Amino acid sequence: MAEHCAPTFEGLAKSLGFSCEEAGGLFELRSPLALENWTLPVLETTIILGSILALVWAVIRLRRHGDPTNLVLWFGATAYLFVIEPPLYFPAAFGISEHVDTMFAHNVFTVDFLWGRLPLYIVAIYPFMATIAYELVRMLGVFRYGALAGATCVGFVHHAFYEIFDQIGPQLRWWEWTTDNPLNQPMFDSVPLPSVVVFAALWPMSLAFCVYRFVGRRVDAGEQFTGVQLVWRTLVIGLAASAGTFILPLPATVLGAGSTTVRGVIYALELIVLSAVAVWLMYRQWSRLRQPGNTEPRYDNAFVRVYAAVYLVVFAVLWATALPDFFNAKNGITENGDPIGNLWYTLACFAVGILSVAAVSFRPATGSHDAGLTPALAGGDS
């Protein structure tokens, strides 16, 4: 697809070790042993397996308990992916090349789509990460305070899990950013700050809000849906979450127009406020659950509790193996010429991830705890 090999993308592709003009077609399969390094197949196996298991669990949840929330969440996140990603890969084809240049390029993986633009693991990571974050917050019971409260916490937890991945990707050559693209400014070490805020925190917040408002709270109230109702609600959720991703960053987009510094400060403030509110809500609910005599039924998702821990262990190993090159880097660049992320920020994200998993794994026992068979309590937002 040489006609869509924009100069910027071609430059990123060559830097990653492949040619845009020779990159497959709609679908390409290659040996995992032929990839850039051993971390690429480990990454895609972890994410793709997790996404498949999340889908299987969502189907089981629907069939056994009549709860379609997880299935709508999974497909809603996938719908969001196909609204957001293609224009970023082919701005010329969508008529936006005068306004949006290539922002990044993925390396080639075992399974790729769209002429080397879209690895299968990227398709999988949207519903996988959304499921992990949403279910951890749902198990903790934060949605009892309403859709916005729960969604804020989902954005916070998703941000932590995502940044563990986001901060190491460029160093391990999973992708490469166009660092001089205005849409990627300001940079936070090797990651654009807009990615840290918008794609790690605000889009999952938007998605979670829509899922809970359109489906989750109604399921908690005992409502049932037909197949047609679930299909159109899922499509609406994908579109509405996309709109939310445009609306939530507007303060930085509008007030920061013309000034990278101002835009960066506002992005950072948005993330700080979201994090502060989420920490307060999650701690408040965690403390409430541990009060003596609290016997309310608890929603549980054993798959998420276990696989979230697996994810953290896998990425701890990936980070540990990357540390020698990280510490030998000069001016933020390794000897191989790859940019490094922010280790301290990543450690903070690991701490949030570990505490989130621990909070739902070591809850005090109650007389009505049912190991995942009882629906979540209805939220206060009805």
Side-chain angles (χ1 to χ4, degrees):
M1 203 173 186
E3 65 271 23
H4 290 296
C5 287
T8 305
F9 184 85
E10 178 65 17
L12 294 175
K14 288 183 177 179
S15 177
L16 289 169
F18 69 98
S19 169
C20 172
E21 296 185 358
E22 299 174 359
L26 285 175
F27 171 80
E28 185 172 14
L29 182 66
R30 57 179 55 83
S31 170
L33 301 178
L35 303 183
E36 177 73 27
N37 58 63
W38 66 271
T39 68
L40 277 72
V42 170
L43 167 68
E44 59 184 348
T45 299
T46 302
I47 300 301
I48 294 170
L49 177 60
S51 188
I52 292 172
L53 292 175
L55 177 58
V56 170
W57 192 90
V59 172
I60 291 173
R61 179 75 188 169
L62 174 62
R63 295 186 65 179
R64 291 185 180 177
H65 311 295
D67 180 3
T69 305
N70 295 94
L71 199 62
V72 170
L73 175 69
W74 199 98
F75 282 104
T78 306
Y80 173 88
L81 156 75
F82 287 109
V83 171
I84 293 295
E85 295 272 344
L88 299 179
Y89 298 143
F90 303 107
F94 285 85
I96 59 174
S97 57
E98 294 184 2
H99 310 286
V100 178
D101 193 10
T102 302
M103 297 175 63
F104 58 87
H106 296 290
N107 209 330
V108 290
F109 283 78
T110 304
V111 182
D112 278 325
F113 302 102
L114 302 180
W115 293 269
R117 265 64 166 195
L118 182 60
L120 177 59
Y121 94 89
I122 289 295
V123 179
I125 201 169
Y126 278 77
F128 168 68
M129 287 278 192
T131 297
I132 292 294
Y134 190 96
E135 288 295 274
L136 286 173
V137 172
R138 188 182 182 190
M139 278 188 277
L140 195 57
V142 181
F143 280 106
R144 75 184 321 275
Y145 301 110
L148 184 58
T152 300
C153 294
V154 171
F156 174 68
V157 173
H158 185 284
H159 171 268
F161 278 83
Y162 190 86
E163 282 308 301
I164 292 170
F165 150 84
D166 205 21
Q167 293 288 329
I168 197 176
Q171 180 185 336
L172 297 181
R173 304 181 67 80
W174 296 345
W175 65 82
E176 186 167 338
W177 293 100
T178 309
T179 57
D180 58 355
N181 188 322
L183 296 177
N184 287 337
Q185 298 295 325
M187 295 292 293
F188 176 50
D189 290 334
S190 67
V191 183
L193 188 59
S195 174
V196 173
V197 179
V198 179
F199 286 100
L202 297 185
W203 96 257
M205 175 181 174
S206 177
L207 177 72
F209 180 85
C210 294
V211 168
Y212 188 75
R213 288 289 298 178
F214 280 95
V215 176
R217 70 190 179 105
R218 297 177 184 274
V219 170
D220 290 343
E223 186 173 343
Q224 295 183 337
F225 299 96
T226 65
V228 173
Q229 289 175 323
L230 290 178
V231 169
W232 76 255
R233 285 174 185 272
T234 300
L235 293 175
V236 169
I237 286 168
L239 293 173
S242 303
T245 305
F246 169 78
I247 294 170
L248 292 176
L250 275 179
T253 305
V254 175
L255 299 177
S259 173
T260 299
T261 301
V262 172
R263 186 165 62 250
V265 169
I266 297 175
Y267 271 132
L269 288 175
E270 283 195 77
L271 183 59
I272 289 170
V273 170
L274 180 148
S275 300
V277 171
V279 168
W280 175 72
L281 284 168
M282 293 176 74
Y283 179 77
R284 176 183 176 183
Q285 177 61 10
W286 177 80
S287 299
R288 181 179 175 280
L289 293 177
R290 302 184 72 84
Q291 291 177 353
N294 187 325
T295 59
E296 66 187 48
R298 311 284 174 80
Y299 171 79
D300 189 36
N301 183 331
F303 156 69
V304 166
R305 283 192 288 105
V306 172
Y307 209 87
V310 170
Y311 172 92
L312 293 172
V313 170
V314 169
F315 272 83
V317 172
L318 291 171
W319 265 99
T321 59
L323 286 180
D325 287 338
F326 179 95
F327 287 123
N328 289 329
K330 296 181 179 179
N331 299 318
I333 303 295
T334 67
E335 293 181 356
N336 294 325
D338 302 313
I340 60 174
N342 189 296
L343 180 59
W344 293 110
Y345 197 79
T346 302
L347 289 174
C349 290
F350 264 113
V352 171
I354 292 169
L355 289 173
S356 297
V357 174
V360 299
S361 299
F362 303 104
R363 294 177 296 184
T366 68
S368 55
H369 187 264
D370 62 4
L373 301 184
T374 301
L377 292 176
D381 186 352
S382 59

